[in-house]
């Protein structure tokens, strides 16, 4: 079948229904206990229709995460156009809002889901950091910029998870104290 460039509105609605049904189930059940049959029943579709859209529930989870929760994070990340400590702070705060929302939306699955979402977040944050590092450090090699962006993305995503898991401070205070410790450690 040749693609004519038009979108079948029924497919779009069905896909949206599958994602919404999955998100609803995530609020009620643990991810590992959700079956494809639960999703198809909730979305009022058959299994074949589900598999026309997604390979399995893991792919659905990845898509639902990227399109749902991460959409807001990506939008916030894209607003950061210059590299400075404040940019890192804004990215960190965006990530803490993501973790807070994920925890509220999927409280039963939060710890389990962070293992999956952290990989996605690191990739997204790395890309944003790479784009804002390039103009400021034009003289650096691409590989150096990629390493720097990778290191910073791991640091920010990990710190946001640690903040949600262990800190009783507000995220701004947590970030400021962490950066102060990093600066002091580097000066040793």
């Amino acid at each position: 079948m040749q693609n004519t460039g038009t979108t079948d509105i029924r497919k779009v609605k069905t896909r949206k229904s599958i994602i919404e049904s999955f998100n609803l189930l995530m609020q009620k059940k643990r991810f590992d206990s959700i079956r494809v049959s639960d999703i198809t029943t909730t979305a009022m579709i058959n299994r074949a229709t589900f598999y026309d859209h997604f390979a399995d529930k893991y792919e659905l989870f990845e898509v639902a995460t990227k399109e749902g929760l991460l959409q807001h994070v990506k939008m916030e990340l894209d607003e950061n156009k210059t590299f400075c400590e404040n940019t890192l702070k804004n990215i960190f705060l965006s990530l803490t809002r993501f973790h807070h929302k994920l925890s509220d939306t999927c409280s039963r699955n939060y710890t389990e889901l962070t293992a999956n979402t952290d990989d996605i977040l690191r990739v997204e944050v790395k890309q944003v950091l790479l784009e804002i590092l390039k103009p400021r450090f034009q003289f650096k090699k691409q590989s150096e910029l990629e390493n720097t962006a990778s290191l910073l993305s791991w640091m920010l995503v990990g710190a946001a998870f640690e903040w949600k898991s262990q800190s009783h401070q507000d995220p701004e205070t947590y970030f400021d104290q962490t950066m102060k410790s990093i600066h002091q450690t580097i000066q040793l």
Side-chain angles (χ1 to χ4, degrees):
M1 185 175 189
Q2 193 175 28
N3 186 356
T4 61
T6 60
T7 304
D8 184 346
I9 193 73
R10 292 171 298 170
K11 285 189 175 195
V12 172
K13 285 182 179 182
T14 300
R15 186 175 187 279
K16 183 178 178 186
S17 175
I18 294 169
I19 293 171
E20 287 173 351
S21 297
F22 177 72
N23 288 335
L24 181 66
L25 288 166
M26 289 289 287
Q27 292 175 11
K28 297 177 181 177
K29 299 172 83 172
R30 293 187 49 80
F31 176 74
D32 59 355
S33 68
I34 296 174
R35 300 174 311 202
V36 170
S37 62
D38 297 328
I39 299 164
T40 59
T41 299
T42 305
M44 294 186 287
I45 59 168
N46 63 42
R47 290 178 73 83
T49 302
F50 175 86
Y51 290 113
D52 282 344
H53 293 273
F54 302 99
D56 53 30
K57 73 176 188 177
Y58 299 96
E59 181 184 4
L60 172 58
F61 169 75
E62 187 174 333
V63 169
T65 302
K66 283 183 179 177
E67 289 183 8
L69 295 173
L70 286 180
Q71 188 70 20
H72 186 67
V73 172
K74 182 123 175 75
M75 190 172 64
E76 288 180 350
L77 293 179
D78 287 342
E79 292 175 4
N80 293 287
K81 299 295 182 196
T82 57
F83 184 77
C84 62
E85 190 171 315
N86 197 49
T87 302
L88 296 177
K89 184 175 188 173
N90 289 338
I91 291 170
F92 174 78
L93 294 175
S94 179
L95 292 168
T96 61
R97 286 189 289 274
F98 167 81
H99 277 287
H100 190 70
K101 187 172 181 181
L102 181 64
S103 175
D104 287 349
T105 304
C106 309
S107 58
R108 295 179 183 198
N109 301 319
Y110 175 71
T111 303
E112 176 187 1
L113 296 179
T114 54
N116 296 323
T117 58
D118 280 358
D119 290 340
I120 299 166
L121 286 170
R122 275 193 298 276
V123 168
E124 297 294 330
V125 171
K126 180 182 175 182
Q127 283 307 117
V128 168
L129 287 168
L130 195 53
E131 291 305 311
I132 60 178
L133 285 168
K134 283 179 185 178
R136 180 148 181 211
F137 300 100
Q138 296 171 359
F139 59 91
K140 295 228 180 222
K141 293 180 189 174
Q142 179 70 17
S143 60
E144 290 179 65
L145 293 175
E146 287 179 12
N147 290 340
T148 301
S150 183
L151 178 69
L152 289 171
S153 70
W154 276 84
M155 179 189 79
L156 291 167
V157 171
F161 176 75
E162 285 297 314
W163 167 82
K164 180 64 178 148
S165 301
Q166 310 217 1
S167 180
H168 301 292
Q169 297 174 315
D170 68 276
E172 288 194 43
T173 302
Y174 181 89
F175 182 85
D176 291 341
Q177 288 179 348
T178 302
M179 287 306 291
K180 183 177 178 183
S181 287
I182 289 170
H183 287 296
Q184 289 172 346
T185 302
I186 290 172
Q187 292 175 355
L188 289 178

